Amino acid sequence: MDKVAIVILNWNGRRMLEQYLPSVLQYSKEEATIYVADNASTDDSLAFLRASYPEVRLIVLDQNWGFAEGYNKALRQIEAEYYLLLNSDIEVTHHWLTPLIEYLDAHPDTAACQPKLLSIFDKDRFEYAGASGGYLDRFGYPFCRGRIFETVELDNGQYDNVADILWATGAALMIRAKDYWAVNGLDGRFFAHNEEIDLCWRLRIGGRRIVCIPDSYVYHVGGGTLPKSNPMKTYLNFRNNLTMLYKCLPDSELATVMRWRWFLDYLAAWETLILNRNWGDFKAIYRARRAFKKWKKDFEADRQQIQSQRQVEKIPEQKDFSLLWQYYAKGRKLFSALPL
């Protein structure tokens, strides 16, 4: 059994693998076994890996299962104490694995952790997808130490302490295998987007800790699969976020939050149409609301199971304030300015 299995999920990512896999091999092969799980790519990713990197272990999936179920199917074929889910567009650094491994070894109450995520295009700035660890506001909007909505901070060491977080980025997520499977892994129905937040939230409900370890840092391209303004990405984000809220919110909060989200989601749809003239995202939000309503019943059993296993009624990393109000009305655009 591997101590650490680094698993890169690939779909038509030959260019990313060619550029960033060398750093993973250079700085990780002494401490981890490196896998690439291929989601039925139609480019020459597999031929490239077999010819150039025979030391990388390949898992070939029969179709594009998406991020969530793709990882589930790949990880079922790997025996390891720790999984490290790593995007193909990550450049890692010298000794990046050591702080992550040492922390999990020393803290059995911690299920998962992430390194500090910096932008590969501006290495002094955090990267959008996870920065220095993630949180949620009262209404399910995610934010990070170092990133709130589109405001991404410079890294001046202000978030270099180890911190408990609600969610660790799926771009570079280290997790105990036993914890991963104890909550049935990522929700494959999500396909992509919000799946790591959902996974980490379920672990926190069960009393497990999630942390950011900034002594470890990596550089992330970001947006390697879909551009930021993309109707499919908008659709998946809204649909999956609503589903995650339905699964994970306690009974005392569910009805109120869902009423507010009905209003806020349709407000967002009309804002994107009127102010940005973005017809694609407008339709995507309406489609997402309809899709959530249609498949909500499929998650009733999930909700009951999650709530029955609740060990933490009020999770500190899910904040009571509205991030929209703090950001747009109060002008608080930095993590340090929030009423934490």
Side-chain angles (χ1 to χ4, degrees):
M1 184 174 76
D2 299 324
K3 172 74 172 182
V4 180
I6 296 174
V7 187
I8 300 169
L9 190 68
N10 174 67
W11 181 71
N12 290 345
R14 155 61 189 274
R15 183 175 63 84
M16 293 294 184
L17 291 169
E18 188 171 14
Q19 190 162 359
Y20 298 111
L21 182 58
S23 76
V24 179
L25 288 166
Q26 180 180 359
Y27 295 127
S28 313
K29 62 184 178 182
E30 299 300 321
E31 295 178 284
T33 304
I34 299 164
Y35 296 79
V36 172
D38 188 77
N39 247 337
S41 292
T42 56
D43 67 357
D44 62 343
S45 295
L46 288 174
F48 164 72
L49 289 168
R50 288 178 176 129
S52 303
Y53 297 104
E55 68 270 40
V56 172
R57 300 189 185 185
L58 297 180
I59 296 173
V60 181
L61 302 177
D62 60 344
Q63 66 183 67
N64 181 7
W65 292 96
F67 185 93
E69 190 62 16
Y71 263 119
N72 287 340
K73 289 186 175 295
L75 296 179
R76 287 191 186 101
Q77 302 180 47
I78 298 171
E79 290 188 9
E81 181 178 0
Y82 302 139
Y83 301 139
L84 202 158
L85 284 58
L86 190 71
N87 277 16
S88 61
D89 59 349
I90 292 276
E91 178 183 283
V92 304
T93 59
H94 189 55
H95 287 316
W96 74 291
L97 276 178
T98 303
L100 305 177
I101 297 169
E102 288 181 348
Y103 193 91
L104 289 187
D105 283 349
H107 297 84
D109 60 340
T110 302
C113 61
Q114 70 158 81
K116 178 168 63 176
L117 216 66
L118 300 170
S119 170
I120 206 159
F121 302 112
D122 182 353
K123 293 189 173 182
D124 294 323
R125 190 176 295 277
F126 290 105
E127 208 282 313
Y128 180 93
S132 201
Y135 302 79
L136 289 176
D137 83 336
R138 175 168 174 74
F139 302 114
Y141 294 99
F143 62 101
C144 305
R145 295 198 301 172
R147 190 274 294 174
I148 302 176
F149 293 131
E150 299 302 318
T151 300
V152 182
E153 299 180 41
L154 287 171
D155 174 26
N156 296 312
Q158 67 271 42
Y159 308 121
D160 273 357
N161 57 304
V162 173
D164 282 270
I165 56 179
L166 181 63
W167 57 273
T169 175
L173 169 65
M174 179 176 275
I175 185 168
R176 296 180 195 273
K178 65 179 183 180
D179 280 305
Y180 187 91
W181 295 117
V183 294
N184 299 316
L186 296 165
D187 193 326
R189 294 165 292 186
F190 280 27
F191 191 78
H193 299 294
N194 282 265
E195 66 287 308
E196 79 269 45
I197 305 178
D198 172 72
L199 171 66
C200 291
W201 196 355
R202 286 183 275 128
L203 287 164
R204 285 295 292 121
I205 287 170
R208 306 292 285 154
R209 294 174 61 216
I210 315 293
V211 299
C212 178
I213 315 291
D215 283 349
S216 171
Y217 59 93
V218 299
Y219 300 103
H220 186 213
V221 173
T225 305
L226 290 173
K228 283 188 178 181
S229 179
N230 180 288
M232 178 54 71
K233 180 174 180 177
T234 299
Y235 167 78
L236 291 171
N237 268 317
F238 275 81
R239 185 198 66 175
N240 294 351
N241 187 271
L242 288 167
T243 306
M244 175 184 72
L245 289 171
Y246 176 67
K247 290 166 62 179
C248 295
L249 281 171
D251 292 339
S252 59
E253 298 179 27
L254 181 62
T256 299
V257 170
M258 285 304 194
R259 281 195 296 268
W260 271 103
R261 278 300 299 266
W262 181 91
F263 169 74
L264 292 170
D265 288 354
Y266 287 120
L267 180 65
W270 283 98
E271 182 268 342
T272 198
L273 179 64
I274 294 170
L275 297 184
N276 301 323
R277 298 183 180 180
N278 190 331
W279 183 249
D281 279 353
F282 172 82
K283 291 191 293 184
I285 296 171
Y286 269 77
R287 285 179 53 233
R289 293 286 320 184
R290 289 195 299 269
F292 167 67
K293 183 177 180 180
K294 183 176 180 179
W295 81 348
K296 176 182 171 182
K297 63 181 182 298
D298 297 337
F299 294 86
E300 290 176 359
D302 298 78
R303 173 170 175 77
Q304 291 175 9
Q305 181 182 22
I306 292 165
Q307 300 308 317
S308 71
Q309 297 172 346
R310 181 174 290 278
Q311 300 294 317
V312 182
E313 179 63 26
K314 182 59 182 176
I315 297 172
E317 298 82 32
Q318 187 194 6
K319 302 304 180 179
D320 285 329
F321 56 75
S322 164
L323 194 64
L324 289 167
W325 179 259
Q326 294 296 325
Y327 188 86
Y328 291 108
K330 296 286 190 178
R332 294 171 176 167
K333 300 186 182 297
L334 304 182
F335 180 87
S336 59
L338 296 173
L340 301 166

